[in-house]
Amino acid sequence: MLPIIFRDEHIVVIHKPSGLLVHRSEIDRHETRFAVQLLRDQIGRRVYPAHRLDRGTSGVLVFALDKETARLLGGQFERQEVAKTYLAVVRGHPPESGHIDHALSRRRDDAEWVGDKTSDEAQPAVTDFRCLATCELPHQVDRYPTSRYALVEVTPHTGRRHQIRRHLKHVAHPVIGDATFGKGRHNRLFQTLFGCHRMLLACARMQLTHPYTGEPLDLVAPPDGEFAAVLEALGWAGALPAVLRQ
């Protein structure tokens, strides 16, 4: 059963687990489990995803229960009216806070149509972050005798594909567990030390406006499972903002 955070006659919001695709993909054609299908079967209604989360990213995932609501919610995301807060465990010790303004080349969906008017030019992308906690482990991974890691809170202000993962890599603080943009040796250390086999990136909070009532929706999905276990093992659970603590 998918954990439901919020539901009314128009919207249903889940806490998506890491490793679950939102919908069917040509790249992962062997997969048979998708959030769209599982939630439809769980609540007995057709659902329409209002945005995307990468397969490895867990957290707040919003669905509409009809096409008109999907259109209205999609407009909020397109106009960048939705506030999103992510948590990530990254390599290194980043500064106390940072602002990343770095255009990103377009990464297309596997089935995305490419026409004469589409462009591969880099698109503006902006991400803010703040460092919540740091640690230094007595394990040599690179050329140094110890390895440094940090817990960061990330706020993307644009919605480019893989934006957070690519931006954190750009500032030399890749997400732990990211097989595409991260470092395999650090990923393997977390597998060995903590039994963590997921990407340590989660959409922990999303704030938007209900498209019909106008009420603010504050949707929260605190870290759970392997992510929560890593935070506990590193003594970082208390560093989370109060609203994100279990």
Side-chain angles (χ1 to χ4, degrees), residues 5-25:
I5 299 170
F6 172 87
R7 182 182 178 184
D8 66 7
E9 65 270 31
H10 303 290
I11 299 169
V12 59
V13 184
I14 68 167
H15 186 165
K16 184 188 87 68
S18 175
L20 181 65
L21 290 165
V22 175
H23 46 64
R24 190 178 301 277
S25 164

Side-chain angles (χ1 to χ4, degrees), residues 169-222:
K169 178 188 178 183
H170 176 70
V171 296
H173 297 292
V175 177
I176 299 301
D178 187 341
T180 303
F181 304 106
K183 291 284 189 177
R185 286 174 291 181
H186 292 276
N187 298 347
R188 288 189 290 273
L189 179 65
F190 271 65
Q191 292 173 12
T192 301
L193 293 181
F194 309 115
C196 181
H197 297 269
R198 60 157 291 175
M199 182 168 67
L200 291 173
L201 177 64
C203 180
R205 188 179 190 185
M206 191 171 289
Q207 295 162 289
L208 50 86
T209 302
H210 196 289
Y212 296 106
T213 68
E215 293 295 315
L217 296 179
D218 192 354
L219 308 163
V220 178

